[in-house]
Amino acid sequence: MLKGFKDFIMRGNVVELAVAVVIGSAFTAIVTAFTTGIIKPLINSIGGSDPAQGLGFQIIGDKPSTFIDLGTVINAAINFLIVAAVVYFVLVLPIKKIQERRERGKEAGPSKPTDVELLTEIRDLLQERNAQR
């Protein structure tokens, strides 16, 4: 049981996946800091009901908990688009190109003989064997 677990862990794709998760988490933190520190203040400067709260509006005037923060939603969408674009252009697209190159390099294997060809070969072998007797 432990040998099977060790084999599973030591497979290349499991280790690569673990590295990808760690790198992805670190990259997401960088993008989140960028969007929160730079993009969100720019979005909030556009306006809203209260400049301190940012872009959004309050449903009930005297209840701060009813503030709908559109800036945070826009910030999250920009964050997602940046991460998705980097993942696509840095990981998905190059891997797709590599797979296409591998597919182009492969030659078609030998074709399997048809039933008629096999029967013809068997007939010829039987005739040859009978002629030798």
Side-chain angles (χ1 to χ4, degrees):
M1 183 167 93
L2 289 177
K3 183 183 182 316
F5 179 72
K6 178 184 169 194
D7 292 342
F8 171 74
I9 293 297
M10 297 311 289
R11 265 198 268 171
N13 56 357
V14 173
V15 174
E16 290 169 5
L17 181 61
V19 170
V21 167
V22 170
I23 295 296
S25 297
F27 180 73
T28 301
I30 291 170
V31 172
T32 301
F34 171 76
T35 55
T36 303
I38 297 173
I39 303 296
K40 188 172 182 182
L42 292 173
I43 293 170
N44 288 345
S45 69
I46 293 171
S49 60
D50 183 5
Q53 290 179 326
L55 180 63
F57 56 92
Q58 199 155 334
I59 298 173
I60 300 174
D62 51 339
K63 286 191 176 182
S65 63
T66 63
F67 182 74
I68 295 181
D69 190 2
L70 297 176
T72 301
V73 175
I74 294 169
N75 188 45
I78 292 171
N79 192 5
F80 170 77
L81 289 175
I82 291 171
V83 171
V86 169
V87 167
Y88 180 77
F89 289 111
V90 173
L91 297 174
V92 174
L93 197 61
I95 289 173
K96 196 174 182 182
K97 296 279 187 190
I98 290 170
Q99 288 174 340
E100 287 174 0
R101 283 186 189 168
R102 286 184 180 170
E103 290 298 319
R104 275 187 276 151
K106 287 185 181 177
E107 294 180 18
S111 62
K112 294 182 180 180
T114 64
D115 291 343
V116 174
E117 291 172 338
L118 287 173
L119 289 172
T120 304
E121 187 177 337
I122 291 170
R123 181 199 64 202
D124 293 345
L125 287 172
L126 287 173
Q127 285 176 348
E128 191 179 300
R129 191 174 94 188
N130 286 337
Q132 290 177 355
R133 287 185 182 183

